[in-house]
Amino acid sequence: MIPLLFDASEVGLDQFVLIILPGIALGIGLFILGWMVAANRRARREQKSFAEAFNFFPLKTDAPPRPACWLAVRSVSPETVKAALGLNRAAPCSWVEGLAGSHEFFISPRVHGGWVIVTGLGLPNPSDDVDACFLFLTALSRKLGHVQFFYAEKFSRHHGWARLDDGCVTRGYAWTGETVWNQGAKTLPESEAGLITFNYGENSATILDAEMNFEKVPQLAARWSLDPAEVKLDSTRQSIGLAGESAFI
């Protein structure tokens, strides 16, 4: 026989009930908890099976970041861009890593019908030296033809954009606390994106009016060519570009 832990004859009914009630409550609680865990696992399995069956929830991929400064070059190969930049020690680099901007230059594969994206620490920007930016872009455009430039710096909210053909600027604009570049006629896509531009020496209505352009630069890029953060890669081959340093810098 299994010995009793206590003698029921030595305690009253009330005391006996008080002794066994906590055990009963604990048992019921454990049973409910186990049932809930099992039901949750079953629901997860059913949801996963449903999603896989109808492909409502495809596998997630890393979304590429949007660089602060980038070029869009039309109708050339990545190798042609590499030669124009004088890139040496080039190595394969993923699209996501390249757009993060940690390399001197990253050259993307051709995407969206023939555009090549270039970004990296080696690109000049108007906040540092607008003349150096102008000279860099015109020299590169003489080699590559149609080149577009976009700049949107998050913290200062400085911004700029340009279009060049065969070394000639057809449109260029940059604001770095004041307008430092305004060349060519304002394009229709700029107006469609709601961009507000100012002439040299013109005092903007408010600083906020000019700073608001920062958020609209990707919209202009999408109208002129493409927004790097919204590029849809068609294959694994398209997800690998080139990264390296330039011998010209």
Side-chain angles (χ1 to χ4, degrees):
M1 294 181 59
I2 300 175
L4 295 174
L5 297 178
F6 63 89
D7 187 349
S9 63
E10 295 179 358
V11 298
L13 179 60
D14 292 343
Q15 291 176 309
F16 177 74
V17 171
L18 290 175
I19 292 172
I20 67 171
L21 275 180
I24 295 173
L26 179 61
I28 294 173
L30 291 174
F31 173 79
I32 294 174
L33 179 61
W35 178 83
M36 291 176 64
V37 170
N40 185 54
R41 288 177 177 173
R42 184 168 59 252
R44 286 177 178 271
R45 287 196 299 268
E46 291 175 354
Q47 183 182 38
K48 182 178 180 181
S49 298
F50 183 80
E52 290 176 347
F54 293 95
N55 198 28
F56 286 164
F57 303 95
L59 293 175
K60 292 183 179 180
T61 57
D62 292 330
R66 181 181 291 112
C69 187
W70 73 92
L71 307 177
V73 186
R74 186 175 62 191
S75 300
V76 295
S77 69
E79 289 296 327
T80 302
V81 178
K82 174 187 171 184
L85 289 171
L87 214 63
N88 55 26
R89 296 192 296 276
C93 178
S94 73
W95 178 269
V96 174
E97 180 187 350
L99 292 194
S102 58
H103 298 279
E104 185 175 13
F105 286 106
F106 168 74
I107 303 171
S108 82
R110 294 180 67 170
V111 294
H112 286 210
W115 291 98
V116 174
I117 298 296
V118 180
T119 189
L121 302 173
L123 290 179
N125 66 66
S127 293
D128 295 334
D129 188 337
V130 69
D131 292 329
C133 184
F134 170 84
L135 293 173
F136 176 92
L137 293 175
T138 52
L140 193 64
S141 176
R142 290 190 190 101
K143 299 175 182 178
L144 299 177
H146 185 78
V147 174
Q148 298 181 8
F149 166 79
F150 302 96
Y151 172 58
E153 209 286 317
K154 180 177 181 180
F155 297 104
S156 67
R157 305 183 79 82
H158 293 175
H159 51 269
W161 51 88
R163 292 175 61 166
L164 302 93
D165 287 287
D166 300 320
C168 296
V169 177
T170 57
R171 175 60 175 149
Y173 183 82
W175 186 89
T176 62
E178 62 178 339
T179 300
V180 293
W181 189 10
N182 190 355
Q183 183 175 358
K186 186 175 182 179
T187 64
L188 179 59
E190 289 173 71
S191 299
E192 292 173 342
L195 291 162
I196 301 173
T197 59
F198 303 94
N199 294 320
Y200 295 111
E202 181 180 356
N203 186 20
S204 59
T206 66
I207 293 296
L208 182 61
D209 288 337
E211 289 183 343
M212 288 296 290
N213 284 339
F214 160 81
E215 300 175 354
K216 299 172 183 176
V217 171
Q219 298 177 35
L220 175 63
R223 286 172 167 81
W224 274 6
S225 51
L226 51 85
D227 176 0
E230 299 298 327
V231 170
K232 306 300 181 185
L233 303 178
D234 298 330
S235 64
T236 302
R237 179 182 59 81
Q238 274 199 338
S239 68
I240 303 298
L242 294 172
E245 299 176 354
S246 175
F248 299 157
I249 296 178

